[in-house]
Amino acid sequence: MAQRLIVIGGDAAGMSAASQARRRRGREDLEIVVFERGHFTSYSACGIPYWISGLVPDPEQLIARDPQTFRTDFAIDVRIRHEVVAIDLERREVVARDLEQGDEVRERFDELLYAAGAVPVKPPWAETDVTGVFGMQTLDDGAELRDWLDGEPQPHRAVVIGGGYIGVEMAEALIQRGLSVTLVERGDQPMSTVDGDMAELVADAMRGLGVTIRTGLSVNGLEQRDGRVSAVVTAEGSIPTDVVVLGLGVRPNTALAEAAGLPMGPTGGIRVDRRMRVVGLPGVWAAGDCVETLHRVSGMQVHVPLGTHANKQGRVAGINIGGGYATFMGVIGTAVTKVCDLEVGRTGLRERDATEAGFDFVSVIAESTNRAGYYPGARPMTVKLIAERPSGRLLGAQIVGWSEAAKRIDTLAVALWNGMTVDDMTALDLGYAPPYAPVWDPVLIAARKAVDVLAAASR
């Protein structure tokens, strides 16, 4: 009898794992069944804001492979609109509910991959029957928001709650749709994924785009008219709106896993080893936004929900399930985004992260340009480096600037991944031509400044 792999979740991690396992084990040797509660598989959740804005006209463009392709080309039994509601580890079975018909099926497994992803953080006041309030995690979420924006009566005002990546990107998308947008952030400013001095540059760009930013403010309720949201309620009064988008971040989708006895870590994610095996449970694997993983700089367990990690973790799990050997070596928190034409990149630790991890460090900010100063189109670029004292080891980096800014973070990410010091970095042989960089690249200028600050601090 062929062994059976059950996969819970049909997006990045789940389908990467299923595909890798199939490549290594034939159809007669391994049966693969995937349960996905939504309508889609293998799609780019990160592309949803660009579909909302209209920059990407067709949601099909966000889908890498549809369920039928997996069924016919990979012999993977993908069952969309099926939600796993119970896991029985003793009997090696899962119970799944057909969300369209209401029927339940019980399926056995030899290997189980839990890849249920994450769910949007939803405050208690948002648990309501009032319509017009949307989380943004899945393509189904995006479809519901698109229907609301295209429906009648036509929305004209939007409130985005939370200023992280989702909040910032959705605020821009809604501005591009022609709505008046207010972003409410309970912290000092949006984009807390970078330090405050860099986040202020992002906030200025958002205001320039037309977004009203309300900081130091929490939402504690909703007002409605005829069942539709009409305002959000804060301590400073109500903010009228026709639609609310929650950008408060996400948390691991682990309720089902926890009920089944899978071990949880301090971040709320599932505990796995480097091969993506669930700790202490043979034949049970987990990958993607539902797991926690090692931060290579701080040495701490973290939950960093990104599609890049989910795809890599799914690939590692699939290779191992398929009989090979692979490991996931951890993360350093590299991420990029944009506000209009302003690009934002970060990797490693922020100042507060470095403090919490117990590092003694220095921070430097270097101002430069994205191209040679005399070349048409040269624009400002700000690079921030955080380096350990006295060793000079790079701990983190942030970049805010215009074209050619965000992807420069990759240079810093490679340096960080390989444990380089800022002194090492001053000798990096980086590409130069006036249309692409000054003769001293902004990365090199920042590294030199960090070396000088470290030298002064050691005197």
Side-chain angles (χ1 to χ4, degrees):
M1 178 183 291
Q3 284 196 315
R4 175 178 277 194
L5 166 64
I6 296 289
V7 178
I8 301 173
D11 196 16
M15 299 318 299
S16 292
S19 299
Q20 287 295 327
R22 169 58 72 230
R23 289 187 178 101
R24 285 160 176 78
R25 298 179 66 176
R27 304 182 182 203
E28 295 76 20
D29 183 46
L30 181 67
E31 182 183 355
I32 304 176
V33 179
V34 177
F35 292 108
E36 166 53 46
R37 71 183 311 276
H39 292 84
F40 310 98
T41 57
S42 291
Y43 59 87
S44 171
C46 299
I48 293 172
Y50 310 111
W51 174 42
I52 298 298
S53 72
L55 184 64
V56 176
D58 188 342
E60 297 296 322
Q61 294 175 265
L62 302 180
I63 300 171
R65 288 194 182 100
D66 61 26
Q68 190 57 43
T69 299
F70 282 111
R71 295 184 191 114
T72 57
D73 295 354
F74 292 82
I76 296 172
D77 181 4
V78 178
R79 306 184 192 179
I80 60 171
R81 301 296 290 147
H82 279 71
E83 181 178 15
V84 175
V85 294
I87 301 170
D88 189 331
L89 293 178
E90 287 191 12
R91 299 180 64 176
R92 311 292 281 185
E93 291 179 340
V94 300
V95 178
R97 179 177 297 131
D98 184 331
L99 297 178
E100 302 290 349
Q101 304 298 325
D103 301 331
E104 289 190 351
V105 295
R106 183 178 289 268
E107 299 283 359
R108 70 167 184 89
F109 64 83
D110 299 289
E111 307 279 343
L112 174 70
L113 174 72
Y114 191 96
V119 291
V121 173
K122 201 170 185 180
W125 54 259
E127 301 288 349
T128 173
D129 293 333
V130 175
T131 57
V133 181
F134 301 90
M136 275 297 112
Q137 181 65 16
T138 68
L139 203 51
D140 288 286
D141 295 333
E144 290 177 4
L145 177 58
R146 279 284 302 229
D147 289 345
W148 184 266
L149 296 175
D150 293 336
E152 294 294 338
Q154 193 82 33
H156 298 289
R157 303 163 299 182
V159 171
V160 177
I161 302 172
Y165 292 117
I166 294 173
V168 168
E169 291 169 0
M170 287 304 304
E172 179 180 357
L174 293 167
I175 284 283
Q176 292 173 340
R177 286 287 300 244
L179 278 73
S180 172
V181 178
T182 299
L183 185 142
V184 179
E185 167 58 47
R186 67 180 179 182
D188 294 335
Q189 54 204 21
M191 196 55 70
S192 62
T193 52
V194 297
D195 289 323
D197 43 15
M198 303 293 277
E200 185 57 36
L201 302 174
V202 180
D204 287 344
M206 293 183 69
R207 294 186 186 100
L209 194 63
V211 178
T212 299
I213 299 176
R214 302 283 300 274
T215 57
L217 195 60
S218 294
V219 173
N220 51 40
L222 298 172
E223 294 178 3
Q224 58 91 19
R225 184 179 299 113
D226 299 326
R228 297 169 63 97
V229 66
S230 61
V232 297
V233 180
T234 77
E236 297 179 9
S238 297
I239 303 173
T241 187
D242 306 310
V243 60
V244 174
V245 175
L246 302 176
L248 296 167
V250 298
R251 56 178 175 79
N253 184 12
T254 56
L256 176 66
E258 192 168 9
L262 275 66
M264 301 294 134
T267 68
I270 300 169
R271 290 177 56 213
V272 293
D273 64 15
R274 289 189 172 184
R275 297 186 68 192
M276 309 312 298
R277 297 176 296 197
V278 174
V279 174
L281 296 175
V284 181
W285 312 75
D289 292 353
C290 57
V291 307
E292 65 177 25
T293 190
L294 175 72
H295 196 292
R296 289 171 60 94
V297 182
S298 70
M300 301 169 68
Q301 292 295 316
V302 293
H303 177 243
V304 183
L306 288 174
T308 51
H309 303 155
N311 277 286
K312 292 173 189 173
Q313 290 170 352
R315 180 177 183 274
V316 166
I319 289 172
N320 290 314
I321 293 169
Y325 184 87
T327 59
F328 183 75
M329 300 303 292
V331 303
I332 54 175
T334 307
V336 295
T337 189
K338 74 175 189 70
V339 178
C340 195
D341 292 329
L342 185 74
E343 302 176 3
V344 185
R346 52 109 359 129
T347 189
L349 307 181
R350 301 163 296 182
E351 287 182 348
R352 57 186 175 275
D353 300 325
T355 299
E356 289 173 4
F359 287 106
D360 185 15
F361 63 90
V362 299
S363 297
V364 300
I365 290 180
E367 304 287 350
S368 185
T369 54
N370 59 337
R371 305 169 186 172
Y374 56 81
Y375 192 87
R379 302 288 298 275
M381 185 184 302
T382 304
V383 180
K384 180 172 185 174
L385 300 185
I386 300 169
E388 184 180 32
R389 185 164 53 187
S391 71
R393 178 168 67 108
L394 183 66
L395 298 177
Q398 299 159 34
I399 297 179
V400 177
W402 306 94
S403 62
E404 293 92 45
K407 289 302 286 181
R408 268 186 171 87
I409 206 70
D410 289 343
T411 300
L412 293 159
V414 171
L416 188 64
W417 186 273
N418 289 285
M420 294 180 69
T421 68
V422 288
D423 195 26
D424 295 333
M425 291 167 54
T426 62
L428 287 173
D429 187 2
L430 304 181
Y432 160 68
Y436 303 107
V439 67
W440 282 99
D441 190 272
V443 168
L444 301 179
I445 293 172
R448 287 170 52 192
K449 186 170 182 179
V451 169
D452 291 343
V453 170
L454 284 164
S458 66
R459 295 191 188 112

